[in-house]
Amino acid sequence: MDTPVTGRSIIISNGRCGSTLLSDLIAEQPETLSAQEFFMSVAPWARSSEVLTGAAYWEVLSSPKAELATLFRIGLPPKEVRYPLTGRWADRMTELPRILAITLSKLTTDPDRLFDQLTARVPDFPTQSVGDHHRMFLDLLAVMTGKRRWVERSGGSSHVAPYLLRAFPEAKVVYLIRDREATARSMSRHSSFQLIQLRVEFLGRCGLDPFRLEPGQSVPEDLERYLPDRLTADLLRDRSQDLRRYLGLSAFLTSQAEQALTDLPPRHLHRMSYEDLVADPVGQLDLLAQFLEFEDGAGWARRVAGRVVGPARPREVAAA
């Protein structure tokens, strides 16, 4: 029997602030679907007001993401990708459907099978807004995996916070932050955020997204070598040496999230910081469990708290 979905929650963060760790801990709660990197995988959010058929929506979810394909091409895929080496697309990762890269691969050891099951159902979704499709998809994913609630988390979701808050006014929202300089240093070492920063710079300088160029559009000559078909691993790494780029990116994302929370205050909001989580794992996780209404939340907090290890401790767990 299908399990009714009783809770929908979203973690908003700049990324590189312990959000991946938090998602992995939430996945240990038996009644909760931890949906990772879903919302950022289905950009561009500029289409969020469109009305789409189920078939058109699935066409997006089952297509490759240009940014991730570029990182695979240059040999710098993010470590969060969990698609198995034995999978159907393992020998052609630049063609990997975006929903398989992380979201489905974090849920099962056979993501291709889950993908096929979704292929049989999602195209039958009714014609509706993108936000309603997202809600219906995550609800379906929770039901198919036998969960009562879902908690979505995407690194860098501060960038799409206005769209999330408009599309999910009923959702519980967790706003996770970290010291800006520490966040920036972590971003500078992560290929996805190196690419995000590059896109933001393109948009700031010439108003164009390098991954969405139309025929006839051109960019400044000094940016041409950073276009997706010309970009190399060395070029991307070299840009990461300037921390100011990532301090600026972190500040930009923070401003987007905080402005969205001011303009569109969620009905249910829980604020937490990476530093507080590291200092008091049990206490902070217990508070989170209460907010998310976990069954036996205190027990869950005690069970998983040992996995929270700060960067200053001997066993380093990188914040993500």
Side-chain angles (χ1 to χ4, degrees):
M1 178 181 289
D2 287 352
T3 303
V5 174
T6 60
R8 302 175 180 91
S9 304
I10 300 169
I11 298 173
I12 292 176
S13 77
N14 291 355
R16 312 312 300 160
C17 59
S19 60
T20 299
L21 170 63
L22 200 58
S23 285
D24 289 342
L25 300 183
I26 289 170
E28 298 296 319
Q29 206 289 324
E31 301 292 328
T32 304
L33 171 77
S34 182
Q36 303 199 34
E37 302 292 349
F38 174 67
F39 288 135
M40 289 301 284
S41 76
V42 291
W45 274 84
R47 298 180 62 185
S48 63
S49 61
E50 286 187 21
V51 174
L52 300 178
T53 64
Y57 178 69
W58 182 244
E59 185 178 351
V60 174
L61 266 61
S62 59
S63 67
K65 185 171 176 62
E67 298 88 330
L68 188 58
T70 296
L71 292 176
F72 276 120
R73 180 186 66 77
I74 65 177
L76 293 178
K79 62 181 178 59
E80 290 83 3
V81 172
R82 288 292 184 271
Y83 189 70
L85 296 175
T86 55
R88 188 182 307 161
W89 279 270
D91 61 346
R92 47 196 172 106
M93 293 294 277
T94 58
E95 302 173 24
L96 182 69
R98 65 187 67 202
I99 195 65
L100 272 169
I102 299 173
T103 306
L104 299 189
S105 295
K106 279 278 196 173
L107 298 178
T108 172
T109 56
D110 190 358
D112 289 339
R113 181 172 180 271
L114 183 54
F115 179 84
D116 291 341
Q117 292 171 336
L118 291 165
T119 300
R121 300 184 65 169
V122 177
D124 292 333
F125 281 8
T127 299
Q128 57 190 346
S129 70
V130 172
D132 287 340
H133 274 303
H134 289 339
R135 181 184 292 100
M136 195 169 182
F137 178 80
L138 289 169
D139 283 359
L140 174 63
L141 207 52
V143 168
M144 290 175 68
T145 53
K147 308 297 185 181
R148 288 190 170 275
R149 69 178 66 81
W150 52 258
V151 179
E152 197 283 340
R153 187 278 317 165
S154 295
S157 56
S158 293
H159 187 47
V160 294
Y163 305 104
L164 292 174
L165 296 178
R166 287 192 190 97
F168 296 91
E170 81 290 351
K172 292 177 178 289
V173 175
V174 178
Y175 181 42
L176 179 63
I177 62 172
R178 185 188 185 190
D179 172 77
R180 186 170 297 173
E181 184 170 343
T183 300
R185 290 190 184 281
S186 187
M187 285 177 170
S188 73
R189 298 190 291 266
H190 193 284
S191 61
S192 290
F193 284 91
Q194 291 167 355
L195 203 58
I196 288 172
Q197 193 283 326
L198 181 60
R199 291 182 67 190
V200 169
E201 189 164 322
F202 264 85
L203 288 164
R205 288 192 54 191
C206 60
L208 297 174
D209 184 337
F211 289 94
R212 309 282 185 267
L213 288 180
E214 301 289 340
Q217 290 182 325
S218 60
V219 302
E221 185 176 351
D222 65 307
L223 291 179
E224 289 180 352
R225 59 180 178 161
Y226 298 114
L227 290 170
D229 59 338
R230 304 183 191 184
L231 187 66
T232 66
D234 286 341
L235 280 173
L236 196 59
R237 287 196 194 99
D238 286 347
R239 290 176 50 83
S240 70
Q241 303 305 309
D242 187 350
L243 187 63
R244 291 173 299 178
R245 289 191 166 108
Y246 301 93
L247 288 167
L249 176 61
S250 181
F252 171 67
L253 292 174
T254 296
S255 68
Q256 288 191 301
E258 294 186 351
Q259 189 63 55
L261 290 169
T262 298
D263 294 342
L264 301 161
R267 299 172 194 167
H268 310 282
L269 174 63
H270 178 71
R271 296 176 182 266
M272 62 187 302
S273 75
Y274 173 70
E275 290 79 10
D276 288 344
L277 178 62
V278 169
D280 181 18
V282 174
Q284 289 296 307
L285 292 172
D286 188 30
L287 289 173
L288 178 65
Q290 292 178 46
F291 177 72
L292 297 176
E293 299 183 274
F294 285 176
E295 297 78 9
D296 188 25
W300 166 79
R302 289 192 301 272
R303 286 194 305 274
V304 302
R307 294 172 57 184
V308 179
V309 183
R313 299 183 185 180
R315 248 183 72 235
E316 180 171 347
V317 173

